[in-house]
Each structure stands twice: as structure tokens, then as C-alpha cells.
Amino acid sequence: MSDPLSRLDDPDFPALTMSQAAELLGVQAAFLRSLDGAGLLRPHRSPGGHRRYSRHQLALAARVRELLDAGHPLASAELIVGLQDELADARADADRLRDAQDDGSRDGHRPST
């Protein structure tokens, strides 16, 4: 059996209660509830129905909070975060393609143009 504590290394493991998450982010629990209500965060629910947050979700909530603090409404913050994530994914895809082309060049294969 693997080490059960290794789950804490998983950024998607829902390890934190709402109060713990709110304290770490420096926000009120109502802020996290509002993100859940808006559909921006979908925290895991314990068998008793309590919200549990992962590190990934906390990072997303922190990004939204920064945008709200900068004066953006929630709908705009949600759109901005989504576009930032899409751009990051596109850049990662472009990097993978560039690396694959470079690997082909090193193997004696010329990339097609």
C-alpha cells in the first residue's frame, strides 16, 4: 500500500475545509461560497456535505480574488482567468510542437514546411 500522506502532494486532492481554505487565502468563507454558487469553483463534498478544497482550487480562488481586488466584476474575472488558462495551454502545446520538431531535426529528419 502506498503512503496515504502522498495524496497531500496531489494539487487536486481536496484536503482543506472551507474555514482552512478561507484562512489561507485571507478571505471570508462567504467569498468561497460565492465562487461555488457562481460555478467558478466546484469543491469536493464530504459525505456530510461539507466543502473540501484542493491546492489547485485555492490557487484559482486567489487569482480571482486578485482580479476582484483590481476592480473587475466576478463575471469579468471568470472570463479573464479562463482566457489566461487557454493561453497557457496554447503556449504549452506550441512548446511541445516546437520540441517535437527540434527532436526530428536532431534525428536527421527535416521538419515539413
Side-chain angles (χ1 to χ4, degrees):
M1 181 173 164
S2 67
D3 177 15
L5 292 178
S6 66
R7 294 183 301 173
L8 295 175
D9 293 332
D10 180 355
D12 293 314
F13 179 69
L16 300 166
T17 65
M18 180 183 287
S19 61
Q20 291 169 327
E23 184 177 339
L24 281 171
L25 292 173
V27 300
Q28 298 292 315
F31 172 72
L32 294 173
R33 279 193 293 276
S34 73
L35 296 182
D36 186 8
L40 191 56
L41 281 185
R42 290 283 180 218
H44 175 78
R45 296 288 181 145
S46 71
H50 299 281
R51 292 173 178 92
R52 297 286 186 257
Y53 294 88
S54 67
R55 288 185 326 201
H56 177 84
Q57 290 170 322
L58 263 58
L60 176 59
R63 290 169 62 199
V64 170
R65 180 59 192 231
E66 285 180 21
L67 290 165
L68 294 175
D69 288 347
H72 294 279
L74 182 58
S76 296
E78 183 177 1
L79 182 61
I80 291 167
V81 166
L83 291 171
Q84 288 172 335
D85 289 347
E86 285 181 31
L87 179 59
D89 289 345
R91 286 180 172 160
D93 288 345
D95 288 344
R96 278 192 293 276
L97 289 171
R98 198 171 10 265
D99 290 346
Q101 264 189 336
D102 290 346
D103 289 346
S105 295
R106 279 187 235 127
D107 293 340
H109 298 99
R110 296 181 60 91
S112 60
T113 55

